[in-house]
Amino acid sequence: MLRWWPQVDARSLRADALAGLTGAIILVPQAVAYASIAGLPPQYGLYTAIVPVIVAALFGSSMHLVSGPTAALSLVIFATISPIAEPGSAAYIQHVVTLSFMTGVLMLAMGLARLGFIVNFISHTVVIGFTAGAAVLIAASQLKNLFGLKTPATSSFVETLAGFARELGHTNPWVLAVGGVSLLAGLVTRRHLPQVPYMISAMLVGSVFAAALQSMFGPDLGIATVGAIPRSLPPLSMPDLSAQSLRELGAVAVALTMLSLTEAIAIARAIALKSGQRIDGSQEFIGQGLANLCGSFASSYVSSGSFTRSGVNYTAGAVTPLAAVFSAGLLLLTLVALAPLVRFLPIASMAAILLLVAWSLVDWHHIAAIARTSRAELAVLVVTLLATLFMQLEFAIYAGVLLSLVLFLERTARPSLRDAKPAPGVGAYHFVDRAAEPECPQLKMLFVDGPLYFGAIDHVQRNLRAVDADAPARKHLLLLAPGINFVDSAGADLLAQEARRRKALGGGLYFHRLQPQVVDTLERAGCLDDIGRAQLFAIGDDVVDRIFPKLDPEVCRRCTVRAFRLCRTAPSPA
């Protein structure tokens, strides 16, 4: 906060206070709804929107990111902790608090080690696929509450749908009516009154409608409500750091760390594109880590950045992260003053709100764009989505990340090798991609773009040997190499082997504009002697004119291609 504190003045305080008020209004129904997804009492969603929000705002790098409970993290927590303990029980809450502590430690350690770049390897497609799958799971889990059915809670998508289908005949029409009215109110508000928070609208209309039904037809309609929330500050909590607890929650903590940090960084960068701010990934790791670490001692579960609240914070005119602090402070006042009113909120209305949240979680625009542009990315998205539905959620994240990394490695393992020709009328050291033009029968020229590392060796070697297969007399090979940005020891050995092979054939291997760091690697690997420094040409060298004297003059005398400038001085073919 030392970076932005000098910007605080009376004008910024007014703007931040107004943005904080707007955020607090949206946060109340969101926090209660997300706690329901996580299998926690509703007050724990509000607790998670207080201490973690303040700490993340003060120690993060984004000026507009607002942290707190999120739908995806809440779903992962329920899916992974409910098999261990009964949702809502003291043991369940203990595990959730411990998970927040472990996640915070991992995030903080990664931030202090300046590992903010790691989140770049979790592709946006994985997050979109996982979030879409989470949206389907959230919607499926709330169908029983919308229809007033009594089916046991389960983290299995198939079991949830099967239980809903079995009990569908026992639908409570009063509960369904309350849920339907709440859903309709939310949809109408979001479409025709976008300036009014649709969650607040759905919550108020559903509560009033339920009260009206009960006043007209009696209280025994089976319309259950959320229940009262304690009017108190977030109570102190203590994580369970026993060896057994750490073993049980270790894999889940890693998955939550990946998902939470990816959400936070992606949202912070999306807002920064609009505000023009630069985001420090490692500092954001520190902010999120401290937020979860401190939150674990204030009855909070794992938190991250929220796109909805961050977007509202930015559009409401927030100037500094104090807007998030004001939002948490106002929520604290709400918790103390208005908590008892939550007991009038029907569970069916909460289900309707969560259905609207689930719909908004699906990024239809980017899914359509991915489907149009890349089959590989679409495969990653579909695999992640299906894994989210049918696998344990922490392994669904791992599956998406692993597949995206495999596809990334597959692309980097296939450097581009393209035919090159001298640019006409420019000089002997400019080259262009003109594959249709005839080639010199003795000298092959190739653009090489991409790293030469152990994974790319087979692809490059096959392409180099294909030069001989196409034209055995073409013993000289010029690699136009400004696009080779990295070479490891395996790549260095390949280039040295190719140089020795071509010398044995009576030709040579040459390089134009090889990067200095690549030359240094070749020298340290002991491969530069096999290639020869004389075979390395820098920008501005007349590389073709320097290679031309090494060509077989008898072949040149019979050649009709005349590919180079010096070919015009050679004897004409008989």
Side-chain angles (χ1 to χ4, degrees), residues 86-102:
E86 180 66 24
S89 65
Y92 186 91
I93 294 171
Q94 181 70 68
H95 282 307
V96 168
V97 168
T98 304
L99 198 55
S100 179
F101 177 87
M102 295 172 64

Side-chain angles (χ1 to χ4, degrees), residues 293-325:
L293 195 59
C294 296
S296 68
F297 296 99
S299 299
S300 303
Y301 67 91
V302 180
S303 64
S304 182
S306 165
F307 191 83
T308 301
R309 297 192 296 274
S310 300
V312 168
N313 189 46
Y314 174 74
T315 55
V319 178
T320 72
L322 282 179
V325 177

Side-chain angles (χ1 to χ4, degrees), residues 232-522:
S232 67
L233 299 175
L236 294 177
S237 56
M238 180 60 64
D240 176 15
L241 302 181
S242 64
Q244 179 182 355
S245 181
L246 296 178
R247 281 196 303 271
E248 286 180 334
L249 302 177
V252 181
V254 173
L256 282 172
T257 298
M258 295 167 58
L259 179 60
S260 176
L261 291 177
T262 303
E263 277 190 331
I265 296 296
I267 294 167
R269 287 176 176 170
I271 301 295
L273 287 176
K274 300 178 182 179
S275 65
Q277 185 200 355
R278 189 186 73 83
I279 300 299
D280 182 345
S282 296
Q283 186 62 42
E284 203 58 55
F285 278 27
I286 292 173
Q288 294 297 324
L290 287 174
N292 284 285
L293 195 59
C294 296
S296 68
F297 296 99
S299 299
S300 303
Y301 67 91
V302 180
S303 64
S304 182
S306 165
F307 191 83
T308 301
R309 297 192 296 274
S310 300
V312 168
N313 189 46
Y314 174 74
T315 55
V319 178
T320 72
L322 282 179
V325 177
F326 286 139
S327 173
L330 291 168
L331 184 63
L332 185 61
L333 295 177
T334 302
L335 181 62
V336 174
L338 303 177
L341 297 178
V342 177
R343 73 178 187 273
F344 298 112
L345 176 61
I347 291 178
S349 295
M350 185 64 65
I353 292 172
L354 289 174
L355 287 176
L356 293 172
V357 169
W359 178 264
S360 63
L361 282 176
V362 181
D363 193 340
W364 301 104
H365 171 73
H366 280 100
I367 290 175
I370 291 170
R372 289 194 304 268
T373 56
S374 172
R375 287 185 177 180
E377 289 294 308
L378 182 61
V380 171
L381 189 149
V382 172
V383 167
T384 307
L385 191 153
L386 294 178
T388 303
L389 295 179
F390 300 107
M391 294 175 60
Q392 295 183 13
L393 288 187
E394 67 271 29
F395 295 116
I397 299 172
Y398 296 149
V401 171
L402 180 62
L403 181 58
S404 63
L405 287 177
V406 167
L407 292 175
F408 169 76
L409 291 174
E410 194 273 337
R411 284 193 290 267
T412 61
R414 301 171 63 85
S416 171
L417 285 86
R418 297 172 289 119
D419 288 343
K421 306 290 189 306
V426 178
Y429 49 84
H430 288 282
F431 301 88
V432 292
D433 185 356
R434 299 167 71 93
E437 293 190 1
E439 291 185 288
C440 171
Q442 298 192 71
L443 174 62
K444 178 72 173 181
M445 294 174 287
L446 291 174
F447 285 112
V448 183
D449 297 310
L452 298 186
Y453 70 106
F454 64 91
I457 296 304
D458 181 67
H459 173 76
V460 174
Q461 190 174 51
R462 280 190 285 106
N463 277 270
L464 295 182
R465 294 298 174 90
V467 173
D468 298 348
D470 294 340
R474 199 172 285 146
K475 302 173 183 178
H476 298 269
L477 176 62
L478 171 61
L479 298 182
L480 307 170
I484 303 177
N485 52 15
F486 171 73
V487 170
D488 66 359
S489 59
D493 287 339
L494 171 67
L495 296 179
Q497 177 188 354
E498 184 68 13
R500 292 193 300 268
R501 191 177 72 85
R502 292 201 168 272
K503 284 180 184 178
L505 293 173
L509 177 65
Y510 315 96
F511 296 88
H512 185 230
R513 297 179 62 188
L514 197 61
Q515 300 283 356
Q517 69 269 21
V518 175
V519 176
D520 183 59
T521 300
L522 293 174

Side-chain angles (χ1 to χ4, degrees), residues 144 185 198 432 461 470 535 551:
K144 65 173 186 176
Y198 71 89
V432 292
Q461 190 174 51
D470 294 340
Q535 313 290 71
L551 304 182

